[in-house]
Structure formats: structure tokens, C-alpha cells
Amino acid sequence: MSIDYLRRHNLILFEAVSGSRAYGTDLPHSDTDLKGVFVLPEALYYGLDYVPQVANATNDEVFYELRRFVELLLKNNPTALEILASPADCIRYQHPLFEAFRPAQFLSKLCRQTFAEYAVAQIRKAKGLNKKINNPEPPARKSVLDFCYVTVGAGAQPADKWLSRQGYAAARCGLANVPHLTDLYALFVDLAEVPTLGYRGLVKDAETSNDVLLSAVPKGEVPVAYLSFNRNGYSTYCRVYKEYWDWVARRNAERYENTVQHGKNYDAKNMLHVFRLLRTALEIATTGQLHVRRPDRDFLLRIRRGEFEYDTLVAEAEALVAQVEAAFAKSALPEAPDKQRAVDLLIATRRQFYASL
């Protein structure tokens, strides 16, 4: 099923421009996103092939089936509520039956979670992104040996430096477990002009190995030192390294270039949405209304242009979170939407829609 199918068969209840053009934060090059609500053909609805939503290939046009839409409204899902509160100049089509759906029927204290907590998640995301931008991982991956240390007196030295200072080749070394001590190994070196002890070295392959390499040590050999492998440090490094380069592969090139250009090293669009969500949540708590078209457009666009310092924005956002929490605590909104009223509206709308076909 496609959006074109919905249009050709007159199954759409509502269609509106969404995203930045609805918020009023669009720029000349901004995409035009569409959101909407449709009703499944009666046969499909009563059959086994329920379709909760339909989207185009780029996912910038998304339509929700009526039942799924009401489910989202009852959860105070921001996307669903914003569809319902679409600015008049963004509405492309509205079926007469859809006029019965109004934001006031669904706004509740659940918005504290869905708007404010989502914004908090965006703050965490911004912090993680800021860390990635300011602490890039070099393309060359560190090896196990970079996390190995050799005992020297009461201290320790990085294994590669110790080998260099001693004039030992890693290939002439052998490691053996030290009983009862985790990740500590006795280090042996074959000092013969022509190696005869069969030591295997410290790692199998410096670029791909994820552990040290053990050797069979002839009886009577004496270790020259002890080597410790910081396994936890290596595991943490591997995770951070993978996350960073996965992010590099996935990141939106245009948004990243914008981040680089404004020089503040944070995703400005991400931070824009943090403040949009929090200020929207505060308005819902204090006025009982949802304004999709933002009255603070200039401020939001200043964020997008990178006019503020990252730490300043994070501090202001965290203070705003506290305001939102306090506002919802004393809000006159119901704890949750009236489920039975929503179900009655859903049933009545579907029956009337099918009867009109």
C-alpha cells in the first residue's frame, strides 16, 4: 500500500505539511515533510492485514491509520498531537469527519514525559555528539599491545616502550599465565642468537588480535618481567572507537558541515529541537494549548546558526527542564486523556467513513 493508493481511493482523512515548515523554523532549502491520517479499506480492516502506517521511500511523508493515530494520541505522542494541531496554512486536506478530533481532547500530563523527557534525551544525544566532535578517534585502530604494561620496579611502562628500551623484539617474547592473577602474565625472552625456545610473540596480529598470545615455556626458564593486559580499558576503547566510526558513517553530511561551519562543535538542529520541545511542553502545562507554529522562531534560528555556546545552551535547557517539571506538577490538565471518549470517537468516525463510501 502506498500514499498514492490512499489518495486514489479517497482514504485520507487529513494531510498537512509538518516539520520545520509547520514550526516556522524552515529555511529556503528546507524539505517539505507531510504527515497525515487515513482509514484502511473496510475489507482490509476486518481482515488479517492491518496496516498501521504508510510512508514514502525517504520517510518524509508518513500517514497513520486512524486506529494507530488514536493510539498515539492517547499516549500524547508529540508527532500525533502536532498533526492534530497543525497550523491552518499547513493543512492540505481535511475530511469533515476529522473536524471532531481536537487537541484539547487529548492533552494531558503525559506530555511531561513525551515532550520534556524526549527533549532530555536530545540533550544527552547532543552531549554525546559534542563529545564525538571534540574527541575524534584516529582512523588507525589501537592494538592490544597499546593496553599492555610491563612491571619495572614498583611501577610499570608501556610494553612497546619497555621492549624498545631493552632492545627486545616482540617476536622473541613468550607469555605464560600467572596462576590466580587475572590478566597478569610472566614475560619470557629468547636471548639466543638464533631463537630455539619457540616463543610465539605477544600477539598473533597487532592489527586484528583482541587478546595476548600465550606460549609454551620450557621448564626452568625464568621470566624477565611481568606483563599486565588492561582488558577492560581495551574493551572500552574498542566500543568507543566503533561507535565513533559508525557515527561517521551514518551522520548527516549537511548537518555535520553546518556544525563545522558555525564552529561551536554541536549539532545546532538538534539543540533547536531541544528548546522547541521544552518550550512547547511548558506552554502545554501552563495554558493547556499546543502551539505548533513557534512564536520564538528568531531565537530558535539563532540556535541553528550557532550563535550560542554549547555549555550555555545545555545549562539553559536543564534549567528549562526544571521549570517544565514544576509546571506540570501544578497543571490543571488531566493525568491522561479520556480513553473511552477517544474509543467512542474512533468507532463513530470509522462507521461513518465506511457508510459514506
Side-chain angles (χ1 to χ4, degrees):
M1 183 174 290
S2 66
I3 295 174
D4 181 60
Y5 176 92
L6 300 179
R7 291 196 174 104
R8 284 188 287 108
H9 291 81
N10 299 314
L11 297 171
I12 292 177
L13 281 178
F14 186 78
E15 178 178 345
V17 173
S18 62
S20 62
R21 296 193 183 278
Y23 305 140
T25 58
D26 56 297
L27 299 174
H29 62 276
S30 296
D31 295 330
T32 298
D33 299 329
L34 295 178
K35 293 287 191 297
V37 182
F38 71 96
V39 179
L40 269 179
E42 191 170 6
L44 281 179
Y45 175 71
Y46 288 114
L48 297 176
D49 299 317
Y50 180 75
V51 179
Q53 70 182 60
V54 177
N56 66 351
T58 56
N59 221 41
D60 52 13
E61 296 182 13
V62 181
F63 285 69
Y64 300 95
E65 208 283 327
L66 180 61
R67 187 182 83 187
R68 177 58 176 157
F69 182 64
V70 172
E71 289 173 346
L72 292 173
L73 288 175
L74 286 173
K75 295 177 181 178
N76 278 187
N77 174 272
T79 298
L81 287 172
E82 287 170 1
I83 291 172
L84 201 54
S86 296
D89 61 351
C90 289
I91 298 174
R92 290 191 170 185
Y93 173 75
Q94 178 170 289
H95 191 286
L97 290 173
F98 199 76
E99 294 176 6
F101 290 82
R102 297 184 301 277
Q105 297 170 309
F106 297 95
L107 291 175
S108 76
K109 289 185 178 180
L110 291 180
C111 289
R112 181 194 65 80
Q113 295 173 291
T114 57
F115 280 81
E117 291 189 6
Y118 179 67
V120 170
Q122 293 299 301
I123 295 173
R124 294 194 193 102
K125 183 178 178 182
K127 288 180 176 178
L129 179 62
N130 181 264
K131 184 176 180 180
K132 286 183 173 67
I133 292 172
N134 287 289
N135 299 280
E137 290 291 336
R141 183 174 174 270
K142 292 182 180 179
S143 74
V144 165
L145 280 180
D146 291 311
F147 294 84
C148 290
Y149 299 85
V150 176
T151 57
V152 178
Q157 291 180 358
D160 56 348
K161 290 184 179 179
W162 182 85
L163 288 170
S164 177
R165 288 172 180 171
Q166 299 298 320
Y168 296 149
R172 285 175 169 258
C173 298
L175 296 176
N177 282 314
V178 175
H180 313 300
L181 296 176
T182 303
D183 296 325
L184 184 68
Y185 306 89
L187 174 60
F188 301 84
V189 180
D190 190 338
L191 298 175
E193 187 173 338
V194 178
T196 59
L197 299 177
Y199 295 153
R200 304 170 66 196
L202 301 180
V203 294
K204 186 175 183 179
D205 185 300
E207 293 185 3
T208 61
S209 294
N210 289 314
D211 205 346
V212 295
L213 186 63
L214 300 182
S215 296
V217 178
K219 188 175 181 179
E221 290 296 314
V222 179
V224 298
Y226 290 87
L227 179 143
S228 174
F229 173 32
N230 182 3
R231 191 179 300 275
N232 288 337
Y234 176 69
S235 297
T236 299
Y237 163 76
C238 289
R239 174 179 56 78
V240 172
Y241 179 89
K242 183 178 184 302
E243 287 177 354
Y244 176 79
W245 287 104
D246 284 349
W247 167 73
V248 169
R250 295 192 310 265
R251 69 189 178 194
N252 181 297
E254 181 182 346
R255 286 175 67 170
Y256 181 70
E257 285 304 316
N258 179 59
T259 297
V260 172
Q261 287 172 14
H262 67 56
K264 299 298 174 61
N265 286 346
Y266 61 81
D267 187 329
K269 191 171 182 180
N270 175 272
M271 291 303 293
L272 178 156
H273 286 303
V274 166
F275 281 87
R276 179 185 63 78
L277 287 162
L278 288 174
R279 289 185 168 191
T280 299
L282 187 59
E283 290 171 3
I284 292 172
T286 56
T287 70
Q289 297 181 348
L290 168 59
H291 301 289
V292 175
R293 180 66 49 75
R294 302 309 305 147
D296 52 353
R297 176 180 187 272
D298 291 343
F299 169 71
L300 295 175
L301 289 181
R302 287 182 66 198
I303 294 177
R304 185 164 184 173
R305 289 193 297 268
E307 294 186 14
F308 301 97
E309 295 298 327
Y310 168 77
D311 290 339
T312 300
L313 287 176
V314 170
E316 289 186 10
E318 290 174 342
L320 192 50
V321 169
Q323 292 180 46
V324 171
E325 294 283 348
F328 271 104
K330 60 183 181 181
S331 173
L333 288 169
E335 294 297 323
D338 186 329
K339 183 176 179 180
Q340 190 55 55
R341 182 182 181 186
V343 170
D344 292 343
L345 178 59
L346 168 62
I347 294 172
T349 303
R350 192 179 296 279
R351 283 176 173 169
Q352 294 177 63
F353 186 86
Y354 289 150
S356 68
L357 296 178

